[in-house]
Amino acid sequence: MSGSSGEQAPAYRSILSIRDETARVQALNEHLSTRSYVRGYSLSQADVDVFRQLSAPPADTRLFHVARWFRHIEAILGGPCGRGEPCGRQASKGRRGQPQWSPPAGSPPCKLRLYNSLTRSKDVFIPQHGKRVTWYSCGPTVYDASHMGHARSYISFDILRRVLRDYFGYDVFYCMNITDVDDKIITRARQNYLFEQYRGKRPRAAQLLEDVHAALKLFSVKLCAATDPDKRQMLDRIQRAVKLAAEPLEKAVQSDLPEEVADRRVEVLLEEAKDLLSDWLDSTLGSEVTDNSIFSQLPKFWEEEFHRDMEALNVLPPDVLTRVSEYVPEIVNFVQKIVDNGYGYASNGSVYFDTVKFASSDRHSYGKLVPEAVGDQKALQEGEGDLSISADRLSEKRSPNDFALWKASKPGEPSWPCPWGKGRPGWHIECSAMAGTLLGASMDIHGGGFDLRFPHHDNELAQSEAYFENDCWVHYFLHTGHLTIAGCKMSKSLKNFITIKDALKKHSARQLRLAFLMHSWKDTLDYSSNTMESALQYEKFMSEFFLNVKDILRAPVDTTGRFEKWEDEESELNKSFYDKKAAVHEALCDNVDTHTALEEMRALVSQCNLYVAARKAARRRPNRALLESVALYLTHMLKIFGAIEEESSLGFPVRGPGTSLDLESTVMPYLQVLSEFREGVRKIAREQKVPEVLRLSDALRDDILPELGVRFEDHEGLPTVVKLGDREALLREREEKRRVEEEKRKKKEEAARKKQEQEAAKLARMKIPPSEMFLSESDKYSKFDENVSRVCPHMTLKARS
């Protein structure tokens, strides 16, 4: 574009009149934004005058018009000119220099923030060593079946781990422990062993009743001592159940009933009174259990069950798993160094952590996670364990807040040799020793349940920092929220829990994971019918979208037909697609907010569904490539969340019952042939008016194929949509459809019946003679004039007074 001196001079004079240099350059940038400088541009004296005012192009990238203009004139004049120096045109053969390029301003990248229990805020996540992340997670205490409380923690951490690894690209080293030495395990193992011995002796009815009454007396003491109302209610329920089970056996003994009747009632009472008898046997015979193998069999069995449950939930296994029983030498060394550093002391064969000495140190602080809970004796005693809160044990401490690093073993407890005599590890020390051995003096992430913050994790921090003499053993502490059952507290000690196996009988692993994904990992999650119904609906919604896209992609098309011209609808959908992807990214950066991410994904599917519906209504094919891109993105995200197994290329995989066979790729070609054949038959039947064939086609669609997990969807003027789904879901869907149709039929019949009755009543009223028309309305009239009614058709009526 050629410049004109007449056009430029007034504008430049106005710019040169601005005294402030910054404002002058900004005004120049605004003026130049409307102009272009290319080959053939006519340089004016006004350009040169303004050019002399600049010694160099501006550094501010937002003033790129001025920078480009400066380089342009500089190239024409053959180099920079000093202030007041004459400038001439470049004497070369019209060659020009490369114009300056300025990068786009862009937008600042979204940073991952995680809710850190150490600060109780969302902190920017910065690993210690680039993209490498070290993570230690508190594992289960394996003395009973895994329940939904375990699922809450381990599915939530699995989601976080997958997102960090597969979405943000971190190299995550994930370590988890198994607590196989613990007060609960010791007690449960002894009780199980003693009860099985007792049952093996096949006690007679009279002996069993005597023992049960003795156990009830001991149980009554526990019941009276219970202060928690929920626990008291649970114990009272157990006591009543045992008494009810004992009554039939007492009657059998008193009535001298046949032996087989009494034996059956003995078995019933044994099963009902198992907990009471176990406690009673343990209180009298527990100290005689000395074989260490008895204490290892129980945790080994339940650890295997735990791993099976995690595999069934599609939870990734840890990179390394540690067991307390395997790390006793490391734990002994760990405790010894804490003592050597001055933060531990031996007392009567046990070793305790000196919280007063630690808290008074300038380098340390105690109670980092929950400082307000320091001194809570109830919480501290629960952390020590039921076997460690006797009066003699409590008197061994220098301060009530001190906790056991190593416990001297009493009769009936497992033990290992150590410098302080035979004993066993304390609860808190196990994680410190095992994590410290594997991850060193500090780690990026430590995870566990919300209820572990105090005293367990606060004590872990204290003893680890006392060992390493640092103040940063953990950089980010992540705690998953509680799980409630239909709004009620879930507790194994209260026997108010649902095992993972029982939960998987009602819902699939994907459905459970979706329920967790629809809630924040750090907040309380209520496991209820409403929660699961929301997850089921989300799964169905996404599944329908994937099935529809698969059907669209199966439609035959030539190579060039895969790439169709985009209209406004495709451009709008694509813009929305990228907007939703950005929204999902922002949600995941915000403390891995999967709830918001799933809602954004749902909104994207809704927009796709509207687009497809509009295309079908217009008898036009939807854009295959665009829908495939959306479906692949959603599949990718659901894979990252662990809601889709790795083998699936698009959408939820459909497999044969009890096999890993990809059913969809195997049978879909045959179903497609069947669908096309059926369409051809239906077309001929309609043309030839053969209703019997049409009814058979409908029966195939409605009755036969759903039994095989296949759905045919007929759309007027369009090819039949073929979908593979869950057989049970399709059958429920069919029954619901039939129920709705039956209700419609009944309503229609009822409406027709009422209409017929109304017509009949109207016809009957028309047949009534005028002289009798009002006789039935005795509620309105008290007396009729009979003489008048006989003489003429018009009656004289006396209204009811």
Side-chain angles (χ1 to χ4, degrees):
M1 180 187 294
S2 295
S4 169
S5 298
E7 294 175 359
Q8 298 169 23
Y12 281 152
R13 280 197 296 273
S14 175
I15 291 169
L16 288 170
S17 68
I18 300 173
R19 294 185 177 182
D20 182 73
E21 184 176 356
T22 302
R24 184 164 64 249
V25 174
Q26 289 175 344
L28 178 61
N29 189 70
E30 186 175 347
H31 170 66
L32 294 172
S33 66
T34 61
R35 305 174 59 193
S36 177
Y37 300 91
V38 295
R39 185 180 298 278
Y41 171 75
S42 176
L43 187 67
S44 70
Q45 185 59 43
D47 282 308
V48 176
D49 292 341
V50 179
F51 177 73
R52 286 173 176 171
Q53 302 297 316
L54 300 174
S55 59
D60 191 340
T61 58
R62 292 173 296 181
L63 303 172
F64 64 89
H65 293 295
V66 176
R68 184 182 177 205
W69 171 84
F70 183 94
R71 297 296 185 200
H72 185 85
I73 295 179
E74 187 180 56
I76 293 176
L77 298 179
C81 296
R83 294 180 182 271
E85 296 179 5
C87 296
R89 293 181 181 274
Q90 187 176 1
S92 64
K93 300 177 181 179
R95 296 177 62 188
R96 299 173 52 195
Q98 183 80 31
Q100 181 172 344
W101 174 84
S102 299
S107 57
C110 186
K111 295 181 179 179
L112 170 63
R113 294 176 182 272
L114 295 175
Y115 184 85
N116 187 358
S117 296
L118 286 166
T119 62
R120 302 190 187 186
S121 61
K122 297 176 186 177
D123 296 328
V124 175
F125 181 60
I126 306 173
Q128 299 173 90
H129 305 290
K131 299 292 281 186
R132 182 170 178 258
V133 175
T134 51
W135 185 337
Y136 180 85
S137 179
C138 276
T141 302
V142 282
Y143 69 99
D144 206 338
S146 303
H147 52 70
M148 287 302 292
H150 294 119
R152 170 56 168 154
S153 286
Y154 301 121
I155 290 178
S156 296
F157 283 138
D158 186 66
I159 293 166
L160 290 172
R161 179 186 174 190
R162 288 171 181 269
V163 170
L164 261 64
R165 186 192 70 175
D166 300 333
Y167 186 84
F168 289 105
Y170 290 107
D171 182 7
V172 181
F173 180 67
Y174 190 82
C175 174
M176 189 180 78
N177 77 300
I178 292 289
T179 299
D180 60 351
V181 180
D182 175 82
D183 285 24
K184 292 186 179 72
I185 293 172
I186 294 167
T187 302
R188 181 65 62 86
R190 271 197 328 234
Q191 290 180 349
N192 286 355
Y193 172 75
L194 292 170
F195 180 78
E196 289 305 319
Q197 275 198 326
Y198 179 83
R199 173 178 260 175
K201 292 177 182 177
R202 302 181 65 83
R204 307 298 295 173
Q207 182 64 51
L208 176 59
L209 286 170
E210 182 181 340
D211 293 342
V212 166
H213 285 305
L216 280 167
K217 287 181 182 179
L218 181 67
F219 192 80
S220 296
V221 175
K222 182 191 286 189
L223 179 59
C224 292
T227 55
D228 182 270
D230 291 332
K231 186 171 184 178
R232 189 178 181 85
Q233 185 180 25
M234 182 269 293
L235 293 174
D236 185 60
R237 190 166 58 246
I238 292 173
Q239 186 184 58
R240 281 188 277 109
V242 172
K243 288 180 177 179
L244 284 172
E247 288 177 4
L249 183 58
E250 288 172 345
K251 290 178 181 177
V253 172
Q254 292 167 3
S255 306
D256 198 22
L257 293 175
E259 189 175 344
E260 60 270 17
V261 175
D263 287 345
R264 285 199 299 270
R265 294 180 183 183
V266 163
E267 287 301 317
V268 170
L269 181 56
L270 272 172
E271 194 60 38
E272 198 64 56
K274 180 180 178 180
D275 289 345
L276 270 74
L277 287 170
S278 297
D279 275 346
W280 174 69
L281 291 166
D282 191 44
S283 67
T284 56
L285 304 172
S287 60
E288 299 176 11
V289 180
T290 57
D291 186 355
N292 266 14
S293 65
I294 293 171
F295 302 104
S296 62
Q297 291 169 2
L298 178 78
K300 183 179 180 182
F301 172 82
W302 287 117
E303 183 191 335
E304 289 178 359
E305 291 298 302
F306 169 77
H307 291 312
R308 289 193 185 98
D309 288 340
M310 292 301 103
E311 185 178 1
L313 291 172
N314 194 29
V315 171
L316 294 171
D319 294 308
V320 60
L321 184 89
T322 62
R323 299 179 185 89
V324 180
S325 60
E326 298 172 346
Y327 276 76
V328 172
E330 289 84 355
I331 292 172
V332 170
N333 293 335
F334 205 92
V335 172
Q336 184 63 64
K337 187 175 179 183
I338 292 174
V339 173
D340 294 343
N341 288 349
Y343 298 109
Y345 59 91
S347 177
N348 199 25
S350 296
V351 182
Y352 293 95
F353 187 83
D354 193 334
T355 55
V356 176
K357 178 75 176 293
F358 182 79
S360 62
S361 170
D362 294 336
R363 289 175 294 179
H364 303 298
S365 58
Y366 179 61
K368 285 184 173 183
L369 290 166
V370 196
E372 64 271 21
V374 174
D376 183 344
Q377 290 304 305
K378 182 181 178 183
L380 286 166
Q381 289 179 13
E382 287 178 355
E384 291 294 85
D386 292 338
L387 301 178
S388 307
I389 57 174
S390 57
D392 57 330
R393 278 284 169 90
L394 294 176
S395 65
E396 295 172 358
K397 301 181 184 181
R398 293 177 182 173
S399 165
N401 294 338
D402 294 352
F403 55 89
L405 300 172
W406 184 266
K407 300 177 181 181
S409 292
K410 295 183 292 187
E413 297 179 3
S415 63
W416 288 264
C418 71
W420 314 283
K422 287 189 175 183
R424 57 191 176 89
W427 178 33
H428 316 298
I429 195 67
E430 62 182 67
C431 291
S432 295
M434 292 186 290
T437 300
L438 290 165
L439 305 180
S442 65
M443 69 185 77
D444 295 306
I445 297 174
H446 192 322
F450 184 82
D451 56 330
L452 295 179
R453 294 180 310 151
F454 185 88
H456 185 50
H457 286 157
D458 266 327
N459 288 351
E460 272 189 45
L461 283 167
Q463 62 201 10
S464 300
E465 291 172 0
Y467 176 91
F468 289 109
E469 284 288 13
N470 63 18
D471 193 41
C472 56
W473 186 57
V474 175
H475 291 278
Y476 299 85
F477 236 123
L478 310 183
H479 288 101
T480 55
H482 285 301
L483 181 116
T484 57
I485 305 291
C488 299
K489 176 184 175 182
M490 197 211 72
S491 168
K492 185 171 283 188
S493 62
L494 297 179
K495 300 189 182 297
N496 171 35
F497 66 95
I498 297 173
T499 66
I500 290 173
K501 284 183 172 59
D502 286 341
L504 286 171
K505 290 175 184 176
K506 292 184 177 180
H507 301 104
S508 69
R510 180 190 301 138
Q511 291 161 354
L512 292 173
R513 185 171 289 252
L514 285 172
F516 285 29
L517 285 163
M518 295 172 79
H519 295 79
S520 170
W521 60 267
K522 75 177 190 65
D523 296 335
T524 297
L525 185 147
D526 187 45
Y527 178 68
S528 64
S529 56
N530 289 338
T531 300
M532 293 313 304
E533 181 60 29
S534 297
L536 291 171
Q537 291 302 321
Y538 192 93
E539 180 189 42
K540 182 178 179 181
F541 181 76
M542 299 298 289
S543 180
E544 282 298 308
F545 171 72
F546 288 134
L547 291 172
N548 286 328
V549 172
K550 288 176 182 178
D551 181 73
I552 290 168
L553 296 178
R554 279 195 299 269
V557 66
D558 55 26
T559 304
T560 56
R562 292 171 51 224
F563 304 99
E564 300 166 328
K565 179 186 176 183
W566 279 22
E567 306 291 346
D568 291 343
E569 294 84 354
E570 283 77 21
S571 297
E572 289 174 11
L573 180 58
N574 189 58
K575 181 181 181 303
S576 179
F577 178 27
Y578 278 86
D579 289 344
K580 293 304 178 189
K581 282 204 286 189
V584 167
H585 179 69
E586 288 182 14
L588 294 181
C589 285
D590 183 16
N591 196 37
V592 191
D593 181 3
T594 55
H595 167 72
T596 300
L598 257 62
E599 289 306 309
E600 295 292 348
M601 291 162 63
R602 188 204 299 266
L604 175 59
V605 171
S606 295
Q607 290 168 338
C608 289
N609 290 343
L610 290 173
Y611 164 75
V612 171
R615 276 287 182 267
K616 285 187 175 181
R619 296 291 189 271
R620 295 175 60 190
R621 290 186 306 182
N623 188 282
R624 296 160 55 98
L626 179 54
L627 288 175
E628 185 177 21
S629 295
V630 173
L632 288 173
Y633 166 74
L634 294 171
T635 302
H636 174 64
M637 292 309 303
L638 289 169
K639 278 185 180 179
I640 287 174
F641 295 151
I644 291 182
E645 293 78 359
E646 291 295 326
E647 293 79 7
S648 174
S649 59
L650 192 153
F652 299 134
V654 181
R655 292 193 172 90
T659 71
S660 59
L661 175 69
D662 185 351
L663 198 62
E664 196 166 22
S665 61
T666 304
V667 305
M668 192 55 75
Y670 303 99
L671 291 175
Q672 201 67 41
V673 170
L674 175 62
S675 170
E676 292 168 4
F677 175 77
R678 176 175 169 271
E679 282 187 43
V681 170
R682 291 174 71 221
K683 181 181 178 182
I684 295 171
R686 281 194 296 267
E687 291 172 352
Q688 301 294 327
K689 296 181 180 179
V690 187
E692 294 83 3
V693 174
L694 291 174
R695 281 196 292 270
L696 285 172
S697 297
D698 291 346
L700 176 68
R701 178 194 62 200
D702 299 335
D703 301 328
I704 299 171
L705 291 178
E707 293 284 351
L708 302 173
V710 179
R711 187 201 303 163
F712 277 9
E713 294 178 0
D714 293 328
H715 299 277
E716 187 65 34
L718 295 170
T720 297
V721 175
V722 182
K723 296 179 180 179
L724 268 182
D726 178 66
R727 175 180 176 274
E728 297 303 320
L730 290 179
L731 294 180
R732 287 195 300 270
E733 200 175 87
R734 183 181 69 182
E735 292 306 312
E736 178 64 17
K737 182 180 177 181
R738 287 177 176 175
R739 186 187 63 78
V740 171
E741 289 176 350
E742 180 64 16
E743 285 183 359
K744 286 181 179 179
R745 185 189 64 77
K746 287 181 178 179
K747 286 181 180 179
K748 189 175 180 180
E749 288 181 354
E750 181 65 16
R753 185 184 62 78
K754 287 183 177 180
K755 185 176 180 181
Q756 189 176 6
E757 289 177 353
Q758 290 171 354
E759 291 291 338
K762 183 178 179 181
L763 185 61
R765 285 197 300 273
M766 291 173 62
K767 294 179 179 180
I768 298 174
S771 58
E772 299 175 8
M773 188 173 295
F774 296 98
L775 293 178
S776 61
E777 300 184 16
S778 58
D779 58 325
K780 294 182 181 179
Y781 308 103
S782 62
K783 189 176 180 181
F784 296 93
D785 190 334
E786 296 179 1
N787 293 327
V788 174
S789 64
R790 276 190 293 106
V791 173
C792 66
H794 300 289
M795 294 186 295
T796 301
L797 305 175
K798 294 182 179 178
R800 188 183 296 272
S801 58

